[in-house]
Amino acid sequence: MPALSVVIISRNEEACIARCLRSVLFADEIVVLDNNSTDQTRDIASGLGAKVLITLDWPGFGAQKNRALAAATGDWVLSLDADEWVEPPLAAEIRAAIANPKGCDGFEIPRRSRFCGRIVRHGGWSPDLVLRLFRRQSGRFSNDTVHEKVVVNGKVSRLSHPLEHDSIADLADAHDKIGRYAQASAARMLAEGKKSSISKAVLRSVWAYMNSYVFRLGFLDGSTGAMVAAYSAGYTYQKWALVALGGTSRCAEESRAGVNGKSAGFRNRPG
């Protein structure tokens, strides 16, 4: 049976890291690369048998995950964020896939995300396919500072059981992620020479709300769909408004330092 390594990056994830780690105890190795947590994240991870490594600097999500990947030794790698977890049906499917990959070098996994504890089935959040399982020698992470992805050299197939994701824990978490990811995204866009204006930021945020709630059927999720649409609109406005203003000192900081190393929970986002 090929060996499986799970790789996770973390920073101050004591609220969710245990759930994540307990769900992958079937793996041969768990690597947690921690970015200078000040809570109990590292102690919890060590207590559950993970190999815990520490970095003090923050190079961005892609580079940090490649550091974790470099510490893995298994034939296959499963990459998780600390706010994700694997239920038994997916665990069995992962074991079967690496035992008989049928010529595949990577597998996409459908992800089932939650907003304030409620599963989001529409609004552009589902289906949410993420490439997370891959041969260690065939894959790596892109070097994007935020919204990184796995790049696999070879054939990619798809699993059927979902990866569980607690994307937004509560409204305070939503507010925090909007601010952090808007700063990081704006910094990247400014570096790429993107232009905007406040009026364009407003129009883009209105479109983000309508796209999520109406065109992508978010209204079928009721009040949760409305909150998801408002979340998308808020993120879109802040990101493009920062670009219009040419960035701030904090935006420049984010360009150098990323979004502080917490799990990349804000995946289901507008453009």
Side-chain angles (χ1 to χ4, degrees), residues 16-170:
C16 58
I17 191 71
R19 176 183 61 190
C20 177
L21 295 176
R22 289 191 181 106
S23 76
V24 291
L25 292 177
F26 63 89
D28 300 282
E29 173 186 62
I30 302 174
V31 176
V32 174
L33 179 59
D34 186 75
N35 179 224
N36 200 28
S37 285
T38 57
D39 64 4
Q40 299 301 309
T41 298
R42 294 197 295 267
D43 291 339
I44 294 170
S46 296
L48 289 170
K51 178 169 69 176
V52 179
L53 307 173
I54 302 169
T55 62
L56 301 181
D57 67 320
W58 174 249
F61 281 104
Q64 186 77 342
K65 288 190 175 183
N66 277 324
R67 288 173 170 176
L69 178 60
T73 61
D75 304 293
W76 287 81
V77 171
L78 174 65
S79 171
L80 294 179
D81 291 334
D83 58 2
E84 297 171 337
W85 69 98
V86 175
E87 293 289 349
L90 177 58
E93 191 175 15
I94 288 171
R95 288 193 293 264
I98 66 175
N100 183 19
K102 300 179 180 178
C104 294
D105 294 283
F107 292 90
E108 293 180 329
I109 305 174
R111 184 167 56 169
R112 182 160 55 196
S113 294
R114 292 160 175 78
F115 191 102
C116 296
R118 297 181 179 179
I119 293 173
V120 182
R121 304 186 187 280
H122 304 90
W125 282 39
S126 180
D128 178 24
L129 296 170
V130 289
L131 204 172
R132 295 297 189 80
L133 180 64
F134 56 96
R135 292 185 193 272
R136 182 169 57 87
Q137 298 297 335
S138 300
R140 62 179 300 278
F141 295 91
S142 65
N143 286 320
D144 298 303
T145 57
V146 65
H147 306 318
E148 76 297 335
K149 60 184 179 180
V150 175
V151 179
V152 167
N153 181 22
K155 180 182 176 182
V156 174
S157 188
R158 185 176 299 170
L159 304 184
S160 59
H161 290 94
L163 174 65
E164 305 296 340
H165 182 209
D166 197 10
S167 182
I168 301 297
D170 51 38

Side-chain angles (χ1 to χ4, degrees), residues 158-189:
R158 185 176 299 170
L159 304 184
S160 59
H161 290 94
L163 174 65
E164 305 296 340
H165 182 209
D166 197 10
S167 182
I168 301 297
D170 51 38
L171 293 180
D173 186 33
H175 179 76
D176 176 63
K177 284 179 178 174
I178 285 174
R180 290 189 293 113
Y181 281 85
Q183 290 283 350
S185 295
R188 183 180 65 182
M189 292 160 65

Side-chain angles (χ1 to χ4, degrees), residues 192-257:
E192 294 170 352
K194 298 282 181 68
K195 303 294 184 182
S196 183
S197 67
I198 295 300
S199 60
K200 287 182 179 178
V202 171
L203 289 174
R204 286 180 180 273
S205 69
V206 171
W207 164 249
Y209 186 95
M210 293 297 294
N211 186 45
S212 176
Y213 191 68
V214 178
F215 300 112
R216 296 196 175 190
L217 306 181
F219 63 88
L220 294 177
D221 286 325
S223 60
T224 299
M227 288 192 294
V228 168
Y231 174 62
S232 296
Y235 164 72
T236 301
Y237 174 79
Q238 287 199 31
K239 175 177 69 174
W240 286 100
L242 279 170
V243 173
L245 296 171
T248 63
S249 59
R250 183 183 170 192
C251 197
E253 275 181 34
E254 295 292 349
S255 179
R256 293 189 296 270

